[in-house]
Amino acid sequence: MSERIPVGVLGATGMVGQEFVSFLENHPWFDLTFLGASDRSAGKAYREATTWRLGGETPVYVRDIIVSDSVPKGGPTLMFSAMDASVATEIERAFAAAGHTIVSNSRNHRMETDVPLLVPEANSQHLELLQAQQRLRGWNGRIVTNPNCSTIVLVMALAPLKQFGIKNVIVTTMQAISGAGYPGVASLDIVGNVVPFIGGEEPKMESETQKILGDFAGDRIEPLAAKVSAQCNRVPVVDGHTICVSAQFEKKVSEDELIEAWRSFRGAPQLKNLPSAPAQPVIYMDQTDRPQPRRDVERENGMAVFTGRLRKCPVLDYKFVALGHNTVRGAAGAAVLNAELMKAQGLL
Amino acid sequence: MSERIPVGVLGATGMVGQEFVSFLENHPWFDLTFLGASDRSAGKAYREATTWRLGGETPVYVRDIIVSDSVPKGGPTLMFSAMDASVATEIERAFAAAGHTIVSNSRNHRMETDVPLLVPEANSQHLELLQAQQRLRGWNGRIVTNPNCSTIVLVMALAPLKQFGIKNVIVTTMQAISGAGYPGVASLDIVGNVVPFIGGEEPKMESETQKILGDFAGDRIEPLAAKVSAQCNRVPVVDGHTICVSAQFEKKVSEDELIEAWRSFRGAPQLKNLPSAPAQPVIYMDQTDRPQPRRDVERENGMAVFTGRLRKCPVLDYKFVALGHNTVRGAAGAAVLNAELMKAQGLL
Amino acid sequence: MSERIPVGVLGATGMVGQEFVSFLENHPWFDLTFLGASDRSAGKAYREATTWRLGGETPVYVRDIIVSDSVPKGGPTLMFSAMDASVATEIERAFAAAGHTIVSNSRNHRMETDVPLLVPEANSQHLELLQAQQRLRGWNGRIVTNPNCSTIVLVMALAPLKQFGIKNVIVTTMQAISGAGYPGVASLDIVGNVVPFIGGEEPKMESETQKILGDFAGDRIEPLAAKVSAQCNRVPVVDGHTICVSAQFEKKVSEDELIEAWRSFRGAPQLKNLPSAPAQPVIYMDQTDRPQPRRDVERENGMAVFTGRLRKCPVLDYKFVALGHNTVRGAAGAAVLNAELMKAQGLL
Amino acid sequence: MSERIPVGVLGATGMVGQEFVSFLENHPWFDLTFLGASDRSAGKAYREATTWRLGGETPVYVRDIIVSDSVPKGGPTLMFSAMDASVATEIERAFAAAGHTIVSNSRNHRMETDVPLLVPEANSQHLELLQAQQRLRGWNGRIVTNPNCSTIVLVMALAPLKQFGIKNVIVTTMQAISGAGYPGVASLDIVGNVVPFIGGEEPKMESETQKILGDFAGDRIEPLAAKVSAQCNRVPVVDGHTICVSAQFEKKVSEDELIEAWRSFRGAPQLKNLPSAPAQPVIYMDQTDRPQPRRDVERENGMAVFTGRLRKCPVLDYKFVALGHNTVRGAAGAAVLNAELMKAQGLL
């Protein structure tokens, strides 16, 4: 690829925006040249408009870029959206209407009928929804979304098992504080504590999973018929959502077959050798006490999902543990992988 | 009650032993006068034999008691056992054979056919097993046990619901580090981390729950026919096991009926007004994000179990959260309440 | 004391306000009947105006009190102030002018020349400043303040040593998150981290210490001539500020004399047997690794300060560790003790 | 450099040994081919002899190496020592006597008169002690050591300031749990807590600093005449020791001169372009609340030390904060850098 594609990030000064900035540094295909934010930040250099909350300091390659406001008037065609849900609906639509391709991490459009909720390893064919989207909305541009940061862990663990007929899923999450942005969770709420509630998270996990694992049906997705039940908790972990899953299948399946299904699973990102694709998207660990967020979340550049502890469930068929990086595979990295897939499919 | 009953603690220098010492301070019925430990500690004053790991300093009332070895030769009839599982089997049996009443927190005898696994609010009638126990073993004494610290939270939450016919239960735990004793969990394993495995815990939760909620049947307990599936995790919380439960019932039951069942639940400890009994053993909290270990675990002297977030489960019938104090209601406090019940029933 | 004195709390819905509510429950002298807050809360029942952040639930005794706005128009003469610094200056003055006795935890008036910065064990004679205050300001009422939550730990540890001529003090703090209120410190800033900066804290520790340990001089305080240097850090501890101190004295003094000075120290609260006074205000611990916040902070109802690890300092004379409860002895409890002293001295 | 030098690690299965294994992966000069451990592990493949405690899994490049016992009989000339202090003295001496170059992280030989306590940026000339060492001990081999993990942070921060005449230093540390190895600090001791004591740490910081910053004087080091006073604390941080320093200098020096001294500081590793050398060994951060362990410790591959918050100290001259990676710059990375310096100076 001789020339890098200019890209922008909308909502660039927030926590998720910073994660995009961090993830896109040295990207082989995408050249981050546009940083959009609110009017309050527009006109300032990025380093001045932003209090950098991630490790180290504001990356040099964006320090001096002047932040733009979030109105479509030029800028790169490809825009990642890291905007807060309170503003994302209107701005994303305005940019799409103006011909931009919005690859969004915001939740606003995920469940709309004609918007792909894309996990490239699981449902790359959902990109075909874009034809209906453009036709129905009269847009030159389009909107593609990635799932919620807890959904992605479940979906990546379930996608290789879809072949066995997923029937019932009960999942309990133990989610990292970085999933709530900044300032996000107050330390007085979480140090030495568990908070057994995350606003809106459980319905999202339940419905997004059904859509992602559903089938493309012309101008909409036929959701997976499985029932999904989620209980979501916040725990004092910095990065990495750990989930405990019990699942029931239509077909009779052995432990070895499940493990083999995870280990041999490859999707579009692996087949097309996308730059951010993990070589093996789901890694089953044999150790009795793994995966663990602090020890495993940074592996594979944060883009793989780890499973472990597969064993019989006395109520459903099997139970197991899964782990994924909520701000990488569950946010910025997910969106970038989505854009890479679109590029590889000639959609950019 | 005009005179306090002398009692002893076996395994008094360990972490659980310290919890007994702490819980029994100023007890209205029991007077802790005997502290048993290994030969290494025997002969020393308790304050010298023990590195006090709980808050504050070694309680004054036991500081100067000379630690005894753990061989039955006199001492109080009532002995609480806080012994490590590696030694508890033989020593508990020796004391029972010598006529002592062993009220044990150790796991060793819990699942033996003729040993009550007692939760006074749930199965006080299981004490009748002691007749079979004494007859079969030829003991003058006896052994009574309390459940594992994660089991108790589940059982207390389920006991009021037994009337609706418990059919299937899936539970995921988030357990405090104090559940592992001292030194227990290495800080490098748990600071900022989740460990999705606790050795032996899941089978214990599954089988103990069935026994506790089962029915007395002469010389044994007919276990509850429900299926129970547990996933157990360690989280960086000091005290308090939080559990997420999905449950299915034989009978049709409404949310209001479940909440009312919890709120109105009273057992033998409440009816007999036992000194360590919580006034209301299961407290349902209406707030959307409670119970929480750091904010709720110390309430009611650590002896109540808190439930919350009752809602429909798309797979089973209902899901909810529960919380209990693992070292109080799940260990020392449980054993003391067991002894109080025995006293109230004329068994001491 | 036959009748309890009605008291109020200004800023009652905030975190510090909740600590007053919690501390004043069942107070033998003071009857909390007035809860003041912003216009937004005024007119609502306290339980509706407040999200209770401390353990358990909103105390029953205040649940149904209707919150008042913060304008002086009746209400109890004695008002505790838990107001945020952004509004405390004007409101406290208005209440004092209207004849109220303001016993304030806010920082706003602490360093004003005619305002006592009171630590009853250390400087009860500073209450005499109130004569100048009323004369100079023309108030019927008055304002008394307590120190910052880190200052109090240092001052309580130094007060018994003042007799040896304090010359130089270097102190490094490790402060709990509860010191920052709610939402206060973001969890992403402090979980698994140290933040080596607390805005405004170091100058406060340095100057407040000099004022508190200074001498009453008619209409002002002659500050202690010692130099004080502070470095303040936030650590992931819930309650309890731990400080490491190096100190140099005018007089030659032995370790034994210093320890004896701490242990024998008694001040006005002990002599007058004030209800919230700890029996021994400074407790020296002999263990090599104590005091520790999680294990010691709740002792003595949170009202004592603990010292430990006294040893020679190669640069100054001695070094040691101290610990105090920042929201009790460092906030609500400090103010209540101040009011108790005033009552005992006939000033209420 | 056409060929990589074979090297070994003694104590390879422990926590520090694992850090060497991790740090040496893909090292351009050194080829780790020998893994020594206790007799219990000898003869097993490394992956079987070791429970890998760091992130991810046992690195592939060492998984199948058969662990050797710790007796000198061949093996690489260059041996890194990660041995526990309880065994290091004899084994290190035996290997040195047998002609090996021991580059040790163990504390055992650090303070011996003829053993370099090496920090390449600060005292590369101390390597000249090796002549005396070999002469006096009659060894063909030799022992070189690196400092304690808390000392290194202080020494790196002070080395650039030595030119101003360091006179007095008071330092308080907040040290990470990884500094105590595995299992190391019990979680019950440190979750939500501060432990104001680390056995032996304070004397080490005080005396090692004087030796490292001292001057080579033929067959010994003339220690720096400065007085150093340390207070050492454990805090719930995974990696990274944060220290608060007050320092007094012989010469009058401005803040700008101190910052410039840090920023322009370069030592032998930078001049010789050693592979593990940080480009800038001491990085002064301008932000008001930095450095912070979780956000800064992984920068520069863990090999730089970060300083910040320089300001006047009312008692000594200046105070500031410093941070370093205790298991990298304070252990494995320090030893490897020492060996790189020796190689570059023709000593290997």
Side-chain angles (χ1 to χ4, degrees), chain B residues 15 181-182 185 187-190, chain D residues 177 181-182 185 187-190:
Chain B
M15 197 70 181
Y182 189 91
V185 183
S187 57
L188 272 175
D189 285 334
I190 202 65
Chain D
I177 55 176
Y182 190 91
V185 182
S187 57
L188 271 176
D189 285 334
I190 202 65

Side-chain angles (χ1 to χ4, degrees), chain A residues 168-197:
Chain A
N168 284 302
V169 177
I170 291 185
V171 57
T172 297
T173 71
M174 293 170 284
Q175 299 184 220
I177 54 176
S178 60
Y182 189 91
V185 184
S187 57
L188 272 175
D189 285 333
I190 202 65
V191 169
N193 203 18
V194 167
V195 178
F197 176 72

